[in-house]
Amino acid sequence: MPRSVPAPTLESAGIFHRAYLLVTLGACALVFLAAFESLAVTTIMPVVSRELDGASLYALAFAGPLATGVIGMVAAGNWSDRRGPVGPLYASVAMFVLGLLIAGTAAVMPALVAGRLVQGLGGGAMTVALYVVIARVYPPELHPKIFAAFSAAWVIPSLVGPFAAGLVAQWLSWHWVFLGVVGLVVPALLMIVPALRGLHGTQGGVPAGAAPEGMSTPGPRKSSGSGRLAWAALAALAVLGLNLSAGLPVAGGIVAVAAVVVALIAVRPLVPRGTLTARRGLPSVILTRGLASAAFFGAEVYLPYLLVERYDFSPTLAGLTLTGGAVAWAAGSAVQGRLGPRLDHRRAVRIGAALVLGAVVLVLVTTVLSWPAAVVIIAWVFAGAGMGLMYARLSVMTLALSSRENEGFNSSAMSISDSLGGALSLATTGIIFAAFPTSAASFSGVFALTALIGVAAVAVAPRVAGRR
């Protein structure tokens, strides 16, 4: 099937070549707006909760979009494999905009949460649809560079998003943090439209990229589209149950364990065979993505808290730790994009996983031994660099190990692993943090758990490729 844009010679082509310029700008803009919205909501939610008297639904406003996002990912993956990515992309952007409109016009907290749920559904589907568009439009040689651009599009909002959202909420209203994004989403989508012509259907499973020898490419499990949606809904409910279990004083522990078990059972039909057992090749690529997200994000959310609580940092100064990690993530992603095939995928993933583990261990040791706060700040720069190195390469490997028949399924599996890994880790660390009587023990428990997850990521990372 011919590409929707003319393919220039690979030596001269880049993601900003005139053949790819509009789709690159449009796709990165959509990623940027989704990231900005996520970070902006974190900034304004205390104001929203106070104004709408919604303290009881505060946690659900964050956990809900993660849960519905899993359903959106599966739906977009199924649809993309059947009909191509065009329909799923249009529908997901429409759902994302609808969620923004509902939340932006909300007068009561339940309405805002409903908007966030719709927004999460559209955002999850949009991520998968964009991945399939990337697989169809760009040659494999450009995949590291476009995913590096996606990483930068995620990082930039972490530098400007919270501040910009605070200014909008202060000068205008928090409603415009949602409504203002609507006017930017449509132009971003319009830039992609020319590249979408001719991307319907799978064309008999023409490979998206040649899989290296020894790398397994298991297809999706034998289950119907509706069956996968049912499993996705069950996984979403398990994530919500785990988040809410901390509020149950007696049965909370039982509910938490049950939620984790249900989530693991529900995710099996949504990922390639052998993912939970770390089979070599694509299953380990998907698993490594989830473990890396769980280790990194599970620790990161507690770093500002640690610096404020133990080292008397101001919230603004403590937040600079996350900024340092975000900048290092962008730098690491840019480095892997420039190196291209000179840095093979397996080595990039192994180095990245080792950097994340080393950083989390340093944070744990600093917490236990009361080392200077500078150790934490420097460590997180290395953690961000590690994520930048391996995150984009895991995306590239997922597409390289996919055919046009299962690009949607595999892209949704990667996104689900990413989302569920982070969500389960955040919920579990929240339970651990609340379980200890002192803050020192609580922080140590959180970082010990994320260090163990990091060990698992390092152990699985070499299995992303076959034996040499």
Side-chain angles (χ1 to χ4, degrees):
M1 172 180 170
R3 295 186 182 279
S4 61
V5 292
T9 59
L10 294 178
E11 290 77 10
S12 63
I15 61 173
F16 295 108
H17 186 279
R18 59 186 176 83
Y20 305 112
L21 179 61
L22 285 179
V23 67
T24 295
L25 294 177
C28 289
L30 287 177
V31 172
F32 173 88
L33 292 172
F36 172 84
E37 192 61 30
S38 175
L39 291 161
V41 169
T42 303
T43 302
I44 66 168
M45 193 55 70
V47 177
V48 176
S49 178
R50 182 172 61 251
E51 182 175 322
L52 301 183
D53 192 22
S56 61
L57 296 176
Y58 188 91
L60 187 59
F62 291 100
L66 286 175
T68 57
V70 173
I71 301 174
M73 292 168 191
V74 174
N78 290 341
W79 193 352
S80 296
D81 285 339
R82 292 196 313 270
R83 300 294 180 87
V86 179
L89 183 60
Y90 288 152
S92 62
V93 171
M95 291 293 290
F96 185 68
V97 169
L98 178 61
L100 291 172
L101 291 173
I102 295 173
T105 56
V108 293
M109 193 67 172
L112 183 131
V113 171
R116 293 282 290 152
L117 295 176
V118 176
Q119 187 182 337
L121 187 67
M126 185 167 64
T127 299
V128 173
L130 282 175
Y131 274 41
V132 179
V133 169
I134 295 307
R136 303 287 179 89
V137 171
Y138 295 85
E141 289 78 3
L142 292 182
H143 288 172
K145 292 185 178 181
I146 185 61
F147 285 123
F150 275 17
S151 294
W154 269 103
V155 168
I156 294 173
S158 69
L159 306 179
V160 301
F163 180 70
L167 290 180
V168 171
Q170 180 179 342
W171 290 353
L172 298 174
S173 166
W174 62 263
H175 296 275
W176 286 103
V177 173
F178 296 100
L179 298 177
V181 174
V182 173
L184 302 175
V185 171
V186 175
L189 177 62
L190 291 177
M191 285 190 283
I192 303 177
V193 169
L196 300 180
R197 300 190 186 102
L199 295 189
H200 300 276
T202 62
Q203 295 294 314
V206 179
E213 184 179 357
M215 298 179 74
S216 59
T217 58
R221 296 174 185 274
K222 300 291 185 180
S223 59
S224 65
S226 59
R228 291 179 199 163
L229 282 176
W231 285 114
L234 184 59
L237 288 174
V239 171
L240 290 177
L242 185 58
N243 277 274
L244 297 174
S245 64
L248 302 175
V250 178
I254 298 174
V255 172
V257 173
V260 172
V261 172
V262 170
L264 293 177
I265 293 174
V267 80
R268 288 186 70 250
L270 307 179
V271 295
R273 293 181 183 87
T275 296
L276 298 184
T277 55
R279 183 187 299 176
R280 286 188 178 274
L282 180 62
S284 287
V285 171
I286 301 297
L287 181 59
T288 302
R289 180 73 168 238
L291 291 172
S293 295
F296 183 85
F297 294 112
E300 185 182 57
V301 297
Y302 287 93
L303 294 183
Y305 194 0
L306 173 70
L307 295 174
V308 170
E309 179 77 14
R310 295 279 298 275
Y311 296 95
D312 295 324
F313 276 41
S314 68
T316 302
L317 188 58
L320 290 178
T321 303
L322 306 188
T323 301
V327 171
W329 186 322
S333 188
V335 166
Q336 67 78 32
R338 284 186 171 275
L339 289 176
R342 287 176 290 171
L343 176 66
D344 66 78
H345 297 329
R346 184 183 185 187
R347 182 174 299 175
V349 173
R350 292 181 69 178
I351 293 173
L355 286 173
V356 172
L357 173 59
V360 176
V361 170
L362 273 177
V363 173
L364 172 60
V365 173
T366 301
T367 303
V368 174
L369 301 181
S370 298
W371 284 359
V375 177
V376 172
I377 297 171
I378 295 172
W380 216 244
V381 171
F382 284 98
M387 291 296 282
L389 274 178
M390 68 174 159
Y391 227 60
R393 288 305 178 95
L394 291 170
S395 299
V396 172
M397 294 180 77
T398 299
L399 295 183
L401 294 171
S402 302
S403 70
R404 291 193 187 274
E405 290 178 319
N406 61 18
E407 283 167 346
F409 176 86
N410 291 340
S411 295
S412 69
M414 179 180 62
S415 298
I416 288 168
S417 179
D418 199 357
S419 181
L420 277 182
L424 291 174
S425 177
L426 288 171
T428 306
T429 52
I431 294 171
I432 290 176
F433 191 83
F436 289 96
T438 66
S439 62
S442 296
F443 285 121
S444 298
V446 165
F447 297 131
L449 173 64
T450 51
L452 287 175
I453 298 173
V455 169
V458 168
V460 176
R463 301 180 64 82
V464 298
R467 296 185 183 278
R468 294 185 182 276

